[in-house]
Amino acid sequence: MGKRPAPPVTPAHLRGRGTTPTGGRTLPLSAGRTIPLRRPPANTSGLLPAGRAGQRRHNAPHAPHNDGRHAAANAQDGKAMDNQPPLARSRRTLFLLPKGAMLKRHIREYSRQYPEIVFRSLDPISKYSEAEKIAQEGFDIVVARGNTADELRKLLPNIYVINFNITAYDVLRLIIDRKFWGKTIGLITVRMNISGLELVSKVLGVKILDYTYTPLEGIEARIRECLAQGASVIIGGTLSNIVGKRMGVPIHVVPIGPECMQAALDKVHQVQDAIQFEESRQNYWGQLLDNLIEGVISVDADNKVTAINRAAEKIICSPRRELLNKSVRNLPEAFWEEFKITREESVIRLNQTDYVCIQTPILEDSKICGGIFTLYEKSNVERMEHTVRVESYVNEHNARYKFSDVIGESDAIRRIIYTSKKYASTNSNILITGESGTGKELFAQSIHNASQRKRNPFVAINCAAFPRDILPSELFGYVEGAFTGASRKGKPGLFEIANYGTVFLDEIAEMDYNTQVNLLRVVQERYVIRLGSHRPININCRIIAATNKDLPQMVREGKFREDLFFRLNVLSLEIPPLRSRKCDIIPILLHYLNKNNFLKKNKVTISREACELLQSYSWPGNIREVCNIAERLLAILKTTHIESKDLRQVIQPDSPLWLETRHLNFDPRQARHLAQKKESEEMLAACGGNASLAASRLGISRSTLWRRLRRA
């Protein structure tokens, strides 16, 4: 047996049938009667089920081989039904055979060969009661002949109805059996063109008058036309036979032969393939819709609900089986209050939750034939907008440094790192103070990368780098036309960009008073308003501010808002200057030397005398000054070892390091003693002459303190 071709596209007469459940549907009958369907809707989602989509496919039976020799005799012997495979899948199929059109023996043979098919004889006048019976028994496919098929198709709009088509073999078989040799035969059928009648007429020597009728024209008129044309024998269907009996005209019923039966079976296979193809397609889209996190509801041109996915069912808190094929007015009022199938976006509130509802029309031949509601939870939309912003600015606004990048071995720097890690686990604002060049931004980035916000932007801005009239637009953003020169598309502010991340405000003391007022509102209310707009934009970001100024003194002087100071100074962090942690000077210098020593394989080393000389200096520029010295050394070094003479070459004549050490003739011991004496004097003055407090802060005893002070 050959393999069947691929499933065909659903035929035109099958489209719109069985593809969408009606749920409690009824079938219209003549005279206002309806037939209720017993079967439940195929799927609660509004799409066809997948239950039969994966069932086994079989090869369709081929038409029996016929070489033109005694086709009728083969049919009578039942040989044409031998070795036929069963029909594909388990669709309930009903063959309605006209009485007298097929012998009972043939019905038994086909019933044995196709056990999944129900064969039943039917009188055409009982088709209305038969339609009710078919609807109750739940058949998927019905095969009938002539007028019966036309009527059942009207009565059962949700069931596939297939026609038995009379073939030339059936006509030939009847003429041979009844021995209508040399006679004029009238053939009456329902809109049926039978090919091959001319050949039958020539071979058998008979004249065949082919007449068709429609329900409007009637059968009686066609019978009279046949008689008027001299027909001595009239053949046709069962209904023609019934009408002929009423008129007193004998009409012979054309039998259903194996060729006609096989053609009907092939059509059944095609319909089954079309059903399976449609179910598979609908199941695919059904699963796709149900896996969406957004709610989706579709309506047709009559504003009836045709599909609802699982997410929409949860949103509206109603089972979808109660809403399918019902008016949109069965949905929550928020949907249809201003319902119209046009491209619109709106915000509706359902069950104490805000949703963005997008209405999209469905067009067919440029005409609106339905629409789709798409529901997005408003919070998810805001989260997606943030994700887009993060992806757009991730390369530009990111934190590069971590606590592992902090160089230092002193107790002071270790305490700062420990405290900073504790701060990183919170969401509170932080104020970092310290002299210029101590690494305030280094700690800000490290705190960000150690926090839960590390995957989000780190936006840094130097408040002193922007003019006073430009800084607000950079911080808060602006809309189109906000001011002269504004971008046509507007611009998001740094707070928007840093949403769910961290904003680092360096040199916060340089911010003008008016901008401080706007910043206070952002810190308190957690939203920004772009320049030229009235729409607040919610933000969720942490603020880390830094300054080298004395903010409490500026607050007392009225140069900095007190309320803003307390909002920023929730957690405070003071970075100690390099002179108070001199054991960190050499590691920091070596770090920069080895980091930038690209041309040499060996690491840079420093002599003991050079180390003592470097530690004797106060380093007012802190780490930034150390970095400068490292770059100068790399420029003049011929080896990877640094001596005190190398330091003499890189020190500028007017630099503090030169001025403090030139009179020492680079005596390392003397330089160290001088540095210790100067440090002790400064600490004693800072402690108001309290020697015990000064010695405690320096980490030495009182006797060591007095010994340093007495040195020449």
Side-chain angles (χ1 to χ4, degrees):
M1 307 292 286
K3 188 177 181 181
R4 283 185 294 159
V9 180
T10 308
H13 70 282
L14 301 179
R15 293 174 187 162
R17 302 188 181 194
T19 58
T20 304
T22 58
R25 54 192 176 177
T26 59
L27 303 178
L29 288 177
S30 342
R33 293 193 299 161
T34 59
I35 301 174
L37 287 181
R38 183 184 58 132
R39 287 180 294 161
N43 189 306
T44 57
S45 68
L47 302 169
L48 285 178
R52 299 174 181 174
Q55 293 179 356
R56 183 180 177 187
R57 298 168 63 93
H58 301 276
N59 291 332
H62 284 253
H65 179 72
N66 193 308
D67 57 0
R69 300 173 296 173
H70 311 295
N74 290 339
Q76 293 174 359
D77 295 337
K79 295 181 180 181
M81 297 182 290
D82 292 341
N83 301 321
Q84 296 290 333
L87 285 175
R89 295 164 298 277
S90 60
R91 309 289 179 193
R92 295 208 65 194
T93 305
L94 173 65
F95 275 63
L96 291 177
L97 305 171
K99 288 185 176 181
M102 196 169 205
L103 298 177
K104 293 182 178 181
R105 176 172 63 87
H106 293 155
I107 296 178
R108 288 195 299 268
E109 289 292 335
Y110 278 104
S111 298
R112 178 183 61 82
Q113 190 66 31
Y114 301 101
E116 66 273 20
I117 297 179
V118 177
F119 293 89
R120 188 182 298 167
S121 298
L122 175 68
D123 194 320
I125 62 176
S126 61
K127 53 181 170 284
Y128 293 103
S129 60
E130 186 65 29
E132 295 180 359
K133 190 175 181 181
I134 292 172
Q136 294 298 323
E137 293 179 351
F139 285 101
D140 299 295
I141 303 171
V142 177
V143 184
R145 195 168 81 168
N147 185 69
T148 302
D150 291 342
E151 293 296 329
L152 290 178
R153 192 172 289 110
K154 298 176 183 178
L155 299 175
L156 304 171
N158 295 295
I159 296 178
Y160 296 97
V161 180
I162 299 174
N163 280 66
F164 278 119
N165 291 324
I166 298 176
T167 66
Y169 289 109
D170 301 323
V171 178
L172 175 63
R173 186 176 296 105
L174 178 62
I175 295 174
I176 294 176
D177 291 345
R178 300 298 177 91
K179 301 179 181 180
F180 294 146
W181 314 110
K183 296 184 178 181
T184 301
I185 301 174
L187 175 62
I188 301 177
T189 58
V190 181
R191 297 188 302 270
M192 195 177 299
N193 297 319
I194 304 174
S195 60
L197 288 180
E198 295 181 0
L199 181 60
V200 173
S201 177
K202 291 180 180 180
V203 172
L204 299 182
V206 298
K207 182 179 180 182
I208 301 177
L209 304 175
D210 188 8
Y211 287 92
T212 60
Y213 71 90
T214 63
L216 295 177
E217 295 174 340
I219 300 176
E220 293 187 8
R222 295 306 184 198
I223 294 175
R224 293 190 179 93
E225 289 181 14
C226 287
L227 296 174
Q229 293 294 326
S232 56
V233 176
I234 300 177
I235 62 178
T238 307
L239 187 60
S240 301
N241 177 267
I242 295 173
V243 175
K245 289 181 179 180
R246 295 174 182 175
M247 298 174 61
V249 179
I251 297 179
H252 304 273
V253 179
V254 179
I256 297 177
E259 297 84 9
C260 182
M261 179 63 71
Q262 191 60 57
L265 291 172
D266 290 341
K267 287 186 178 181
V268 170
H269 282 298
Q270 294 178 4
V271 172
Q272 289 180 338
D273 286 338
I275 293 175
Q276 183 175 0
F277 176 80
E278 186 67 17
E279 284 185 350
S280 299
R281 187 175 67 87
Q282 294 284 354
N283 178 57
Y284 170 80
W285 289 111
Q287 293 184 8
L288 181 64
L289 289 177
D290 278 342
N291 284 308
L292 294 176
I293 62 174
E294 300 85 7
V296 179
I297 302 174
S298 66
V299 299
D300 58 16
D302 298 327
N303 294 337
K304 292 184 177 181
V305 180
T306 57
I308 301 177
N309 71 340
R310 188 179 293 111
E313 186 181 28
K314 293 180 180 179
I315 291 173
I316 62 180
C317 298
S318 296
R320 45 189 170 185
R321 64 176 177 272
E322 297 180 0
L323 301 173
L324 288 172
N325 302 296
K326 304 292 181 61
S327 173
V328 294
R329 292 191 173 270
N330 290 278
L331 298 174
E333 186 177 356
F335 283 95
W336 53 266
E337 189 173 12
E338 299 181 359
F339 174 75
K340 52 184 177 180
I341 304 179
T342 55
R343 177 70 184 186
E344 286 189 359
E345 297 182 7
S346 59
V347 178
I348 62 177
R349 189 167 185 83
L350 298 171
N351 302 318
Q352 307 302 318
T353 305
D354 292 331
Y355 295 90
V356 177
C357 181
I358 301 177
Q359 301 179 28
T360 307
I362 301 175
L363 302 178
E364 185 177 350
D365 297 331
S366 301
K367 295 183 180 179
I368 298 177
C369 61
I372 297 177
F373 293 102
T374 308
L375 299 173
Y376 301 87
E377 193 171 342
K378 187 179 177 181
S379 59
N380 292 337
V381 174
E382 294 175 350
R383 211 163 18 249
M384 287 187 290
E385 290 178 352
H386 160 68
T387 302
V388 173
R389 288 198 299 269
V390 170
E391 294 295 331
S392 301
Y393 295 98
V394 66
N395 295 326
E396 183 179 357
H397 304 286
N398 62 341
R400 297 175 297 169
Y401 299 112
K402 301 178 181 178
F403 285 115
S404 59
D405 297 317
V406 180
I407 309 300
E409 301 174 354
S410 64
D411 293 338
I413 203 65
R414 290 178 179 176
R415 287 194 299 271
I416 294 296
I417 293 175
Y418 176 81
T419 304
S420 300
K421 289 181 178 179
K422 291 290 186 181
Y423 289 175
S425 61
T426 70
N427 284 315
S428 302
N429 297 331
I430 303 174
L431 178 62
I432 303 177
T433 58
E435 296 180 5
S436 179
T438 53
K440 295 185 289 296
E441 184 169 356
L442 171 65
F443 276 90
Q445 293 190 20
S446 300
I447 292 173
H448 173 80
N449 282 328
S451 69
Q452 297 180 349
R453 302 173 180 266
K454 61 183 178 181
R455 299 185 182 277
N456 297 301
F458 176 87
V459 180
I461 184 172
N462 192 321
C463 300
F466 292 91
R468 294 186 175 183
D469 55 342
I470 300 297
L471 184 59
S473 64
E474 293 294 324
L475 291 175
F476 313 123
Y478 57 86
V479 298
E480 179 183 0
F483 52 87
T484 304
S487 174
R488 294 182 178 180
K489 298 181 180 180
K491 181 181 178 181
L494 296 182
F495 281 99
E496 289 185 62
I497 297 172
N499 199 21
Y500 295 100
T502 302
V503 174
F504 178 60
L505 301 176
D506 198 10
E507 304 291 348
I508 188 69
E510 305 299 327
M511 183 178 293
D512 70 283
Y513 204 83
N514 292 330
T515 308
Q516 293 179 28
V517 175
N518 295 330
L519 178 61
L520 178 64
R521 182 187 62 199
V522 174
V523 177
Q524 289 185 157
E525 305 299 334
R526 295 293 175 179
Y527 69 81
V528 296
I529 299 177
R530 293 187 181 184
L531 299 182
S533 175
H534 300 285
R535 184 176 68 90
I537 301 174
N538 295 326
I539 60 167
N540 179 5
C541 60
R542 183 186 207 175
I543 298 176
I544 300 179
T547 182
N548 58 1
K549 301 287 183 65
D550 188 354
L551 280 186
Q553 180 63 30
M554 295 182 65
V555 171
R556 288 190 292 270
E557 296 174 356
K559 298 180 180 179
F560 197 87
R561 291 185 62 94
E562 183 180 19
D563 46 7
L564 179 60
F565 171 74
F566 287 115
R567 287 289 184 181
L568 298 177
N569 193 34
V570 178
L571 302 176
S572 60
L573 195 68
E574 183 177 2
I575 311 300
L578 196 56
R579 62 180 175 273
S580 65
R581 49 188 181 102
K582 293 188 176 181
C583 59
D584 295 335
I585 296 174
I586 304 305
I588 293 174
L589 180 63
L590 289 175
H591 170 75
Y592 284 109
L593 288 172
N594 293 314
K595 178 182 178 181
N596 298 316
N597 188 27
F598 301 108
L599 302 178
K600 301 177 177 66
K601 297 181 180 180
N602 299 326
K603 291 185 177 181
V604 178
T605 58
I606 304 177
S607 67
R608 183 177 181 87
E609 292 78 9
C611 291
E612 293 177 349
L613 178 61
L614 292 171
Q615 289 180 337
S616 66
Y617 178 53
S618 60
W619 297 102
N622 292 292
I623 298 176
R624 190 176 292 115
E625 189 174 2
V626 176
C627 184
N628 293 341
I629 295 298
E631 291 187 15
R632 295 173 191 170
L633 287 171
L634 290 174
I636 66 157
L637 283 179
K638 297 180 180 180
T639 65
T640 57
H641 186 70
I642 300 176
E643 298 284 351
S644 58
K645 61 179 182 179
D646 299 319
L647 291 175
R648 190 179 184 89
Q649 296 182 43
V650 300
I651 298 173
Q652 300 295 330
D654 57 344
S655 73
L657 183 57
W658 171 271
L659 296 175
E660 291 187 16
T661 60
R662 62 182 178 179
H663 68 282
L664 298 177
N665 198 23
F666 286 94
D667 185 353
R669 183 177 298 180
Q670 189 177 357
R672 184 173 66 253
H673 291 168
L674 180 61
Q676 291 175 351
K677 181 181 179 180
K678 184 178 181 180
E679 183 182 25
S680 300
E681 291 174 348
E682 292 176 350
M683 184 59 68
L684 186 62
C687 296
N690 191 332
S692 299
L693 180 59
S696 176
R697 290 185 177 182
L698 291 173
I700 58 178
S701 63
R702 283 173 56 94
S703 60
T704 302
L705 175 64
W706 292 120
R707 187 168 57 253
R708 288 182 177 183
L709 294 173
R710 287 195 299 268
R711 287 172 179 168

